[in-house]
Amino acid sequence: MVNVSVIGASGFTGGELLRLLALHPEAEIVYATSRRYADTPVSGAHPNLRNVLDTVFTDSSADEVGKKSDMVFTATPHRVSMKIVPRLLETGTKVVDLSGDFRFSDKSVYEKYYDTVHESPDTEAVYGLPELHRSEIKKAGLVANPGCYPTTCILGLAPAVKAGLVDPERITADSKSGVSGAGASPKSSTQFCMANESVTAYSPTGHRHMPEIEEELRVFDPGVQVSFVPHLVPVNRGLTSTLHCYLKKAASEEEVRAVYSDFYQGEPFVRVLDVGEVPKLSAVRGSNYLDIGCFKIDEERNRLIIVSACDNLIKGAAGQAVQNMNIMLGFDETTGLSAAGLQP
Amino acid sequence: MVNVSVIGASGFTGGELLRLLALHPEAEIVYATSRRYADTPVSGAHPNLRNVLDTVFTDSSADEVGKKSDMVFTATPHRVSMKIVPRLLETGTKVVDLSGDFRFSDKSVYEKYYDTVHESPDTEAVYGLPELHRSEIKKAGLVANPGCYPTTCILGLAPAVKAGLVDPERITADSKSGVSGAGASPKSSTQFCMANESVTAYSPTGHRHMPEIEEELRVFDPGVQVSFVPHLVPVNRGLTSTLHCYLKKAASEEEVRAVYSDFYQGEPFVRVLDVGEVPKLSAVRGSNYLDIGCFKIDEERNRLIIVSACDNLIKGAAGQAVQNMNIMLGFDETTGLSAAGLQP
Amino acid sequence: MVNVSVIGASGFTGGELLRLLALHPEAEIVYATSRRYADTPVSGAHPNLRNVLDTVFTDSSADEVGKKSDMVFTATPHRVSMKIVPRLLETGTKVVDLSGDFRFSDKSVYEKYYDTVHESPDTEAVYGLPELHRSEIKKAGLVANPGCYPTTCILGLAPAVKAGLVDPERITADSKSGVSGAGASPKSSTQFCMANESVTAYSPTGHRHMPEIEEELRVFDPGVQVSFVPHLVPVNRGLTSTLHCYLKKAASEEEVRAVYSDFYQGEPFVRVLDVGEVPKLSAVRGSNYLDIGCFKIDEERNRLIIVSACDNLIKGAAGQAVQNMNIMLGFDETTGLSAAGLQP
Amino acid sequence: MVNVSVIGASGFTGGELLRLLALHPEAEIVYATSRRYADTPVSGAHPNLRNVLDTVFTDSSADEVGKKSDMVFTATPHRVSMKIVPRLLETGTKVVDLSGDFRFSDKSVYEKYYDTVHESPDTEAVYGLPELHRSEIKKAGLVANPGCYPTTCILGLAPAVKAGLVDPERITADSKSGVSGAGASPKSSTQFCMANESVTAYSPTGHRHMPEIEEELRVFDPGVQVSFVPHLVPVNRGLTSTLHCYLKKAASEEEVRAVYSDFYQGEPFVRVLDVGEVPKLSAVRGSNYLDIGCFKIDEERNRLIIVSACDNLIKGAAGQAVQNMNIMLGFDETTGLSAAGLQP
């Protein structure tokens, strides 16, 4: 058993980390920190954990948490993580950070899109997408857990970009996320009456996840440019991206699908659907699976459409973080992550 | 007062036509036909019309309906309209057809995308988008009412295409429709537990509305190609399209917006929002308005994002049909269509 | 044309008042006040009113508003209304107050359930339920507009209680309201992810609407006691109450229904459905109608079940307020309120 | 490892059984039958099970299934179960039946409420509510799994009825169920546009679950009568019952709660919340927990309000069935059922 802690454990992602770790056979939860909920049981913020996890929130310092933990998850906002993570690393613990602070190799891109100064520019991190970086994650002290949108867009596009199937400069990623992606704090746009019976595009030209998607895909083709527009849709959980591409070389739908199934051969959490089958949120909701499908070609217009989907709080956040932990600590990668999706 | 009838009045679009016509000060409803509901009051299928409209469904023939009506709305499925409409026209009535049967000038396009033979290829119709075809609608005997998706995509793109602002070959229209767009008949994909908490792309490469969009936009630029993917989203009403474009010539966001506000100057039902303002379904729900906004430019990637939205059953169907009727019969175009959106 | 104003016009109820009054043929909107939105167009808070109403919010005083208006709607919170309304009345304007401040004849009941001191205990008001108090409303200077829950419960129970059909001490009113009933201000319980996929009972034993329901029903039978529990359900608009009663004297379902249809004979906005027909929210959504139905009897247990439903923001708030205005000012009672429900 | 099978495995309950059994460490799935889906992988009907369970649906006979299985779950409609179950029992397998066919000790009650003749009136079954019948379940060959509504109503009322706290003749159970409770087959009432933005009472006086609730509670007090009205609410999963009671003897809220916490002492899946805390569907969704809370008393009216909630497909169906299997086969009762609820 290893000692694990969650800093910033009262939000949606923190709650999911606790839920997954509570049933993880190799992990023992040491700290769940929350300034607001300090000294109350975790079930105060997460009533689903009543009788499941009897941990009490604390307001412990990063130093204290780091010293007592083998692994710390920082589910803290950007700008907070950049302050806490270096202190945690100094205590010798390993860290999976769920903010955007350590996702970019080029700090100037970070500073442009997050409109802030990076206070810890030399802290090295590995981008925590196991399907692309498993071997580096294995050796990492700090893993930067990917954003929810990038998880679906990168995994949905990487095989086609790597294989040179699609025009890298004409990629459109139109993404739709459940409202939990916006966090648990009350705001006007996520009020029920605003979000329900509604679909809204936001940050249409400068969302922080766009450069994150491009950085990862440019490993395969430096010319990649993505027209990324995220949308809020009236569902609690789930995120799906429709990836509009143009074929650069002739290929059949089955050939395209084969490129994907080869690429993800042996991956425990990526499921490549059949040609024409579109991922359903209900198939991934509550699970760490990410589904990729569609693979339809419009020959007249040379278009190729790919659709990917995952649970934004699990494979798009907490589940992927636990998957990273499993890799970093040498556990079987699927430990504690075997739940199937909840349908309906 | 003119005599109007609705053929196929028991579905969602038929119900909306009845609702709008019941309160239209110039129209008297003569027939509401439905084979299934014949001899029952319209409130049997549309309980919202109880005490509002005391018409009884009949199973009357097209000839009978045509002879007694000055205007007939055919809310019938494709292939049915192509049989009924010519017979109606022979009786001397005017017709607004809400199916896809008469929307294409090139019947071979129709036959390809609808996978059928057109039985009435010589019947002439005007495409019923008043903002583009008002003067022809005024003189038409038959108007082909546009599809719901095309209404948002064509009106959202026409000004930019006409002004040569955007690359016509790189347009992506990613559209999201409420479930009422799929009609009232029970099917598996529109069951609550399938559609709720879900977002699903469908017909990603061959939807019938794609060539309809292209035909109208090619009037302005014959090179137009649209990557159109429709999605079902868990809302009852409302349809929004995110239009991903690439600028062909330099323009500021305000200049782009000005192209739109000039284009729609004086239009009673198209509202051009401010730069950065994204249309809300709640602003158009229950109304005949169509909102166009966003107008954001990503200079680094030369992208321009436009978002449009309307109520798929009103400006996307029944409301637009009544608007066409008003034009065809010489009424003020807004008669019976002044309701504001229901927010929330 | 009469001059009307809305104090507190930026919330949901205020928005609905503006929407209804904007299209009311006898009313001219003079003031729409909002401290927060002062100097911005009403479409800033209510984008559905863009191009519909070009009024600008002001932060005008009650005195100023009162002097320029023939009718003022106070859509202000309780405790605010009790301060403003007396000042408005002094200016000579008529007032419909939408808070709870003037709904109780016995101020001590108010003070108990609202846990406050009434600062204007001598201001006289008529309870604004036209179906029960039309003649007093006609002569009133101040009308206290009913709460949304009481509207469905009182109208759903009054005929049976008046006719002595049901045991007055064994009435259960289990009510379900759309989230808009909780207002537009962001709070945790009305966040999308909290309210969606959820149904929650609240204030189960001391809700402020319980004594309001009892006061009105005790006119017919002083022994009335109601077990009232309100619930939040994941819909935007709509409120339905299931009224569990026990028969005090033998009656058939048709006889019970007849008691209701007689009671509401000639009422423009109350629709008495057939035996076994349960009101649908879609039939009343967006309209001022209130539907009452079910009328089923369980003979073995002597139970009678009544179900009533309305749009909480219209017949349950703003529409009823306009109906009261129509009565107070001598207009036809249905003026501006003829919209049918939106289905779906 | 024991061999288990599911007859009728393509519906929602069948899918949940497969999902739970796929990860059950003691169970090996032998047959999953479905006439409609025979010869297709279970992921054809349940895409969430892709890569999780590679079983293929068959159309095997009850005899064949029974002979190869130690435990069979019959997720078949009523009237089908009464034919199949006796044949299964003859093969020597144990059976948990999820229909209504074997829930009543008095077959005439069954025949009245199900309006049919019972073809297997002598087959003996134990009512599968472990909290009330654990020791009998342990020895049973056939367990009749409770209905979803009864699970919340019986467990929510049993302690108070047994303790003589409440008037047994004045109990109202107003229940709200997610739409998955209505099954997976397309019907008009469960179409998205009908169920969304809607709340509907149904079977208000003669629902089949009412006598089931009464039978179980009459063990504690033969005078029990329940006014039970079920409602469809627009959520996928989850069921909550508001139980309106009248106190028969004086008690404080804490004393009432103590009666409940004593009654459920040691129960692994019943959580007794604090006074004033109302069960949330998100706390139980996806889990086998049933939460009971509220315990508020209205002293003036002598009312006691209890609220209970569970996931209708898990503790209300498939999870409870697996819990029964665990008891019948001597496994730890919580095996395979430890998942916490999904919040949000």
Side-chain angles (χ1 to χ4, degrees):
Chain A
M1 294 289 275
V2 295
N3 290 333
V4 302
S5 295
V6 178
I7 294 185
S10 68
F12 287 151
T13 303
E16 282 295 273
L17 284 165
L18 295 179
R19 184 178 67 83
L20 294 170
L21 294 168
L23 299 176
H24 193 289
E26 310 283 353
E28 176 80 26
I29 297 176
V30 188
Y31 289 100
T33 83
S34 163
R35 200 160 299 167
R36 184 173 158 211
Y37 284 93
D39 302 326
T40 62
V42 294
S43 63
H46 309 297
N48 55 325
L49 299 182
R50 188 166 183 140
N51 290 21
V52 174
L53 182 66
D54 56 7
T55 306
V56 171
F57 286 117
T58 64
D59 186 18
S60 311
S61 71
D63 295 334
E64 184 187 344
V65 172
K67 279 175 193 155
K68 300 266 180 62
S69 306
D70 303 299
M71 168 66 66
V72 178
F73 297 91
T74 45
T76 35
H78 74 277
R79 290 199 51 76
V80 175
S81 284
M82 69 166 75
K83 293 180 210 292
I84 289 176
V85 166
R87 289 166 48 202
L88 286 168
L89 292 172
E90 278 171 26
T91 68
T93 185
K94 297 192 172 194
V95 176
V96 175
D97 176 49
L98 290 95
S99 84
D101 281 356
F102 300 99
R103 290 179 189 155
F104 296 86
S105 59
D106 181 345
K107 298 304 177 208
S108 71
V109 173
Y110 172 83
E111 296 190 335
K112 175 179 172 191
Y113 280 90
Y114 285 72
D115 194 21
T116 188
V117 173
H118 204 301
E119 298 179 17
S120 184
D122 301 326
T123 305
E124 291 201 359
V126 171
Y127 190 74
L129 205 47
E131 292 78 6
L132 299 187
H133 301 287
R134 185 169 285 111
S135 61
E136 305 144 79
I137 294 168
K138 209 170 288 193
K139 296 171 290 188
L142 169 61
V143 162
N145 212 57
C148 49
Y149 288 116
T151 298
T152 60
C153 294
I154 297 166
L155 294 182
L157 288 164
V161 171
K162 187 183 176 204
L165 279 176
V166 298
D167 181 346
E169 297 179 8
R170 297 178 73 178
I171 296 172
T172 294
D174 194 288
S175 298
K176 297 91 181 168
S177 171
V179 183
S180 61
S185 307
K187 20 188 175 303
S188 175
S189 62
T190 57
Q191 281 291 298
F192 183 82
C193 289
M194 293 296 106
N196 186 44
E197 292 293 291
S198 183
V199 175
T200 322
Y202 66 99
S203 303
T205 51
H207 194 278
R208 290 157 174 176
H209 285 174
M210 184 166 54
E212 190 181 329
I213 297 164
E214 290 179 342
E215 169 163 347
E216 287 297 310
L217 293 175
R218 284 177 184 166
V219 170
F220 302 113
D221 187 325
V224 165
Q225 279 202 341
V226 177
S227 178
F228 170 68
V229 179
H231 299 73
L232 216 55
V233 289
V235 311
N236 278 352
R237 289 170 177 252
L239 195 159
T240 181
S241 293
T242 299
L243 306 162
H244 303 251
C245 305
Y246 290 89
L247 281 174
K248 209 167 62 180
K249 55 183 187 197
S252 72
E253 294 171 342
E254 287 298 345
E255 284 164 350
V256 172
R257 186 190 179 276
V259 166
Y260 277 73
S261 56
D262 288 354
F263 191 101
Y264 292 117
Q265 185 64 38
E267 282 299 337
F269 294 117
V270 177
R271 298 186 293 202
V272 178
L273 308 188
D274 296 333
V275 168
E277 197 179 357
V278 172
K280 288 184 163 67
L281 294 189
S282 62
V284 295
R285 177 167 57 234
S287 85
N288 198 48
Y289 289 102
L290 180 137
D291 286 356
I292 307 177
C294 194
F295 306 115
K296 294 297 291 178
I297 290 173
D298 171 357
E299 293 194 350
E300 191 178 324
R301 295 169 190 77
N302 223 26
R303 302 161 54 215
L304 165 67
I305 306 296
I306 306 289
V307 181
S308 58
C310 74
D311 184 318
N312 59 301
L313 292 178
I314 305 184
K315 181 61 176 172
Q320 184 140 273
V322 171
Q323 186 180 355
N324 281 319
M325 175 190 83
N326 287 342
I327 298 170
M328 294 164 83
L329 299 183
F331 304 143
D332 181 288
E333 194 169 329
T334 64
T335 312
L337 295 172
S338 56
L342 270 195
Q343 187 202 39
Chain B
M1 295 289 274
V2 294
N3 290 333
V4 302
S5 296
V6 178
I7 294 185
S10 69
F12 288 151
T13 303
E16 283 295 272
L17 284 165
L18 295 179
R19 185 179 66 82
L20 293 170
L21 294 169
L23 299 175
H24 193 290
E26 309 283 354
E28 176 80 24
I29 297 177
V30 188
Y31 289 99
T33 81
S34 163
R35 199 159 300 168
R36 183 171 159 214
Y37 283 93
D39 301 325
T40 62
V42 293
S43 64
H46 310 297
N48 56 324
L49 299 183
R50 189 166 181 137
N51 290 21
V52 174
L53 181 67
D54 55 6
T55 306
V56 171
F57 286 117
T58 62
D59 186 18
S60 312
S61 71
D63 294 333
E64 182 186 346
V65 172
K67 279 176 194 154
K68 300 267 179 64
S69 306
D70 302 299
M71 168 66 66
V72 178
F73 297 91
T74 44
T76 34
H78 75 276
R79 291 198 50 77
V80 175
S81 284
M82 69 168 75
K83 293 180 209 294
I84 289 176
V85 167
R87 288 167 49 202
L88 286 168
L89 292 173
E90 278 171 26
T91 68
T93 185
K94 298 193 171 194
V95 175
V96 175
D97 176 50
L98 290 96
S99 84
D101 282 354
F102 299 99
R103 291 179 188 155
F104 296 87
S105 60
D106 181 345
K107 300 303 176 207
S108 70
V109 174
Y110 172 82
E111 296 190 336
K112 174 178 174 192
Y113 280 90
Y114 285 71
D115 195 21
T116 189
V117 173
H118 205 302
E119 298 178 17
S120 183
D122 301 326
T123 305
E124 292 201 0
V126 171
Y127 191 73
L129 206 47
E131 293 77 8
L132 300 187
H133 299 289
R134 185 170 286 112
S135 60
E136 302 143 82
I137 294 168
K138 209 170 291 193
K139 295 172 289 187
L142 169 61
V143 161
N145 212 57
C148 49
Y149 287 116
T151 298
T152 61
C153 294
I154 296 166
L155 294 181
L157 288 164
V161 171
K162 186 185 175 201
L165 278 176
V166 298
D167 181 347
E169 296 178 9
R170 296 180 72 180
I171 295 172
T172 294
D174 193 287
S175 298
K176 296 91 181 167
S177 171
V179 183
S180 60
S185 307
K187 26 188 171 298
S188 176
S189 62
T190 58
Q191 280 291 297
F192 183 84
C193 288
M194 293 297 106
N196 185 44
E197 292 294 290
S198 183
V199 175
T200 322
Y202 65 100
S203 303
T205 51
H207 194 279
R208 292 160 174 175
H209 286 174
M210 183 165 55
E212 189 181 329
I213 297 165
E214 289 179 343
E215 168 162 348
E216 286 298 309
L217 293 174
R218 284 177 185 166
V219 170
F220 302 113
D221 187 324
V224 164
Q225 279 202 342
V226 177
S227 177
F228 170 69
V229 179
H231 299 73
L232 216 56
V233 290
V235 312
N236 278 353
R237 286 171 179 254
L239 194 160
T240 181
S241 293
T242 299
L243 307 162
H244 303 253
C245 306
Y246 290 88
L247 281 174
K248 209 167 63 181
K249 55 184 187 196
S252 72
E253 294 171 340
E254 287 298 344
E255 285 165 350
V256 172
R257 185 190 180 277
V259 166
Y260 277 73
S261 55
D262 288 353
F263 192 101
Y264 292 116
Q265 186 64 37
E267 282 300 336
F269 294 117
V270 177
R271 299 186 294 201
V272 177
L273 308 187
D274 296 332
V275 168
E277 196 179 357
V278 172
K280 288 184 163 69
L281 294 189
S282 63
V284 295
R285 178 167 53 235
S287 84
N288 198 47
Y289 289 102
L290 181 138
D291 285 357
I292 307 177
C294 195
F295 307 114
K296 295 295 291 178
I297 291 172
D298 171 356
E299 292 193 351
E300 193 178 324
R301 295 169 190 77
N302 223 26
R303 302 162 53 218
L304 165 66
I305 306 295
I306 306 289
V307 181
S308 58
C310 74
D311 184 319
N312 58 301
L313 292 179
I314 305 185
K315 182 62 176 169
Q320 184 139 271
V322 172
Q323 187 180 353
N324 281 319
M325 175 190 82
N326 288 340
I327 298 170
M328 293 164 83
L329 299 184
F331 305 142
D332 181 289
E333 193 169 329
T334 64
T335 311
L337 295 171
S338 57
L342 271 195
Q343 187 201 40
Chain C
M1 294 288 274
V2 295
N3 290 332
V4 302
S5 295
V6 178
I7 294 185
S10 69
F12 287 151
T13 303
E16 282 294 272
L17 284 165
L18 295 179
R19 184 178 68 81
L20 293 170
L21 294 168
L23 298 176
H24 193 289
E26 310 282 354
E28 176 80 26
I29 298 176
V30 189
Y31 290 99
T33 83
S34 163
R35 198 159 299 167
R36 186 173 158 212
Y37 284 93
D39 301 326
T40 62
V42 294
S43 63
H46 310 297
N48 56 324
L49 299 183
R50 190 166 181 138
N51 290 21
V52 174
L53 181 67
D54 56 7
T55 306
V56 171
F57 285 118
T58 64
D59 186 18
S60 312
S61 72
D63 294 334
E64 184 187 344
V65 172
K67 278 177 194 153
K68 299 265 180 64
S69 307
D70 303 300
M71 168 66 65
V72 178
F73 297 90
T74 45
T76 35
H78 75 277
R79 290 198 51 75
V80 176
S81 285
M82 69 168 74
K83 292 180 210 295
I84 289 176
V85 167
R87 289 167 48 203
L88 286 168
L89 292 173
E90 278 171 26
T91 68
T93 186
K94 298 192 172 195
V95 175
V96 175
D97 176 48
L98 289 96
S99 83
D101 282 355
F102 299 99
R103 290 179 189 155
F104 296 87
S105 59
D106 181 345
K107 299 304 176 209
S108 71
V109 173
Y110 172 83
E111 296 191 335
K112 175 180 173 191
Y113 279 91
Y114 285 72
D115 195 22
T116 189
V117 174
H118 204 301
E119 297 179 17
S120 185
D122 301 326
T123 305
E124 292 202 359
V126 171
Y127 190 73
L129 205 47
E131 292 78 7
L132 299 187
H133 300 288
R134 186 169 285 113
S135 60
E136 304 143 81
I137 294 168
K138 209 169 290 194
K139 296 172 288 186
L142 169 60
V143 161
N145 212 55
C148 49
Y149 287 117
T151 298
T152 61
C153 294
I154 297 166
L155 294 182
L157 288 164
V161 171
K162 186 182 175 206
L165 278 177
V166 298
D167 181 346
E169 297 179 9
R170 298 179 72 177
I171 296 172
T172 294
D174 194 289
S175 298
K176 297 91 181 168
S177 171
V179 183
S180 61
S185 307
K187 23 189 173 302
S188 175
S189 62
T190 57
Q191 282 289 299
F192 182 84
C193 289
M194 293 296 106
N196 186 44
E197 293 293 291
S198 183
V199 175
T200 323
Y202 67 100
S203 304
T205 52
H207 194 278
R208 291 159 174 175
H209 286 174
M210 184 165 55
E212 190 180 329
I213 296 164
E214 290 179 342
E215 169 163 348
E216 287 297 310
L217 293 175
R218 285 177 184 165
V219 171
F220 302 112
D221 187 325
V224 164
Q225 279 202 340
V226 177
S227 177
F228 170 68
V229 178
H231 299 73
L232 216 55
V233 289
V235 311
N236 279 352
R237 287 169 178 252
L239 196 160
T240 180
S241 293
T242 300
L243 307 161
H244 304 251
C245 305
Y246 290 89
L247 281 174
K248 210 167 60 179
K249 54 183 186 198
S252 72
E253 295 172 340
E254 288 298 344
E255 284 165 351
V256 172
R257 186 191 179 275
V259 166
Y260 277 74
S261 55
D262 288 352
F263 191 100
Y264 292 117
Q265 184 64 37
E267 282 299 336
F269 294 117
V270 177
R271 299 186 293 202
V272 178
L273 309 188
D274 296 333
V275 168
E277 197 179 357
V278 172
K280 287 184 162 69
L281 294 189
S282 62
V284 295
R285 177 167 56 235
S287 85
N288 198 49
Y289 291 101
L290 181 137
D291 286 356
I292 307 177
C294 195
F295 306 116
K296 294 295 292 178
I297 290 172
D298 171 357
E299 292 193 350
E300 191 178 326
R301 294 169 190 78
N302 222 28
R303 303 160 55 215
L304 166 67
I305 306 297
I306 306 289
V307 181
S308 58
C310 74
D311 183 318
N312 58 301
L313 293 178
I314 305 184
K315 183 60 176 171
Q320 184 139 271
V322 171
Q323 187 180 355
N324 281 318
M325 175 189 83
N326 287 340
I327 298 170
M328 294 164 83
L329 299 183
F331 305 142
D332 181 289
E333 195 168 330
T334 64
T335 311
L337 295 172
S338 56
L342 270 194
Q343 186 200 40
Chain D
M1 296 289 275
V2 294
N3 290 333
V4 302
S5 295
V6 178
I7 294 184
S10 68
F12 288 151
T13 303
E16 283 295 271
L17 284 165
L18 295 179
R19 186 179 67 83
L20 293 170
L21 294 169
L23 299 176
H24 193 289
E26 309 283 355
E28 176 81 25
I29 298 176
V30 189
Y31 289 99
T33 81
S34 164
R35 198 160 299 168
R36 184 173 157 211
Y37 284 93
D39 301 324
T40 62
V42 293
S43 63
H46 310 298
N48 56 324
L49 298 183
R50 190 166 179 137
N51 290 21
V52 174
L53 181 67
D54 55 8
T55 306
V56 171
F57 286 116
T58 63
D59 186 18
S60 312
S61 71
D63 294 334
E64 181 186 346
V65 172
K67 279 175 192 153
K68 300 265 180 64
S69 306
D70 302 300
M71 168 66 66
V72 178
F73 297 91
T74 44
T76 34
H78 74 276
R79 290 199 50 77
V80 175
S81 284
M82 69 168 76
K83 293 179 209 294
I84 289 176
V85 167
R87 288 165 49 200
L88 287 168
L89 292 173
E90 278 171 25
T91 69
T93 186
K94 297 190 173 197
V95 176
V96 175
D97 176 50
L98 290 96
S99 83
D101 281 354
F102 299 98
R103 291 179 189 154
F104 296 86
S105 59
D106 181 345
K107 299 304 176 208
S108 70
V109 173
Y110 172 82
E111 296 191 335
K112 174 180 173 189
Y113 279 91
Y114 285 72
D115 195 21
T116 189
V117 173
H118 205 302
E119 299 178 17
S120 182
D122 301 326
T123 305
E124 292 201 0
V126 171
Y127 190 74
L129 205 48
E131 292 78 6
L132 300 187
H133 300 288
R134 186 170 285 113
S135 60
E136 302 143 81
I137 295 168
K138 209 169 290 193
K139 296 172 289 188
L142 168 62
V143 162
N145 213 56
C148 49
Y149 287 116
T151 298
T152 61
C153 294
I154 296 166
L155 295 181
L157 288 164
V161 171
K162 186 183 176 202
L165 278 176
V166 298
D167 181 347
E169 296 178 9
R170 295 180 71 180
I171 296 172
T172 294
D174 193 288
S175 298
K176 297 91 181 169
S177 171
V179 183
S180 61
S185 307
K187 26 187 171 298
S188 176
S189 62
T190 58
Q191 280 290 297
F192 182 83
C193 289
M194 293 296 106
N196 186 44
E197 293 293 290
S198 183
V199 175
T200 322
Y202 66 100
S203 303
T205 51
H207 194 279
R208 292 158 173 175
H209 286 174
M210 184 166 55
E212 189 180 331
I213 297 165
E214 289 179 343
E215 168 162 349
E216 287 298 310
L217 293 175
R218 284 178 184 166
V219 171
F220 302 113
D221 187 324
V224 164
Q225 278 202 342
V226 177
S227 177
F228 170 68
V229 178
H231 299 73
L232 217 56
V233 290
V235 312
N236 278 352
R237 285 169 180 255
L239 194 161
T240 181
S241 293
T242 299
L243 306 161
H244 304 252
C245 306
Y246 289 89
L247 281 174
K248 209 166 63 180
K249 55 185 186 195
S252 72
E253 294 172 340
E254 288 298 345
E255 284 165 351
V256 172
R257 185 190 179 277
V259 166
Y260 277 75
S261 55
D262 288 353
F263 191 100
Y264 293 116
Q265 186 64 37
E267 281 300 335
F269 294 117
V270 177
R271 300 187 293 202
V272 178
L273 308 187
D274 296 333
V275 168
E277 196 178 356
V278 172
K280 288 184 163 68
L281 293 189
S282 63
V284 294
R285 179 169 51 236
S287 84
N288 198 47
Y289 289 103
L290 180 137
D291 285 357
I292 307 176
C294 195
F295 307 114
K296 295 296 290 180
I297 290 172
D298 171 357
E299 293 193 350
E300 193 178 323
R301 294 169 191 78
N302 222 27
R303 301 162 54 216
L304 165 67
I305 307 295
I306 306 289
V307 181
S308 59
C310 74
D311 184 319
N312 58 300
L313 292 178
I314 306 185
K315 181 62 175 170
Q320 183 138 275
V322 171
Q323 187 179 354
N324 281 320
M325 174 190 83
N326 288 341
I327 297 170
M328 292 164 83
L329 299 183
F331 305 141
D332 182 289
E333 193 169 329
T334 65
T335 311
L337 295 172
S338 56
L342 271 195
Q343 186 202 42

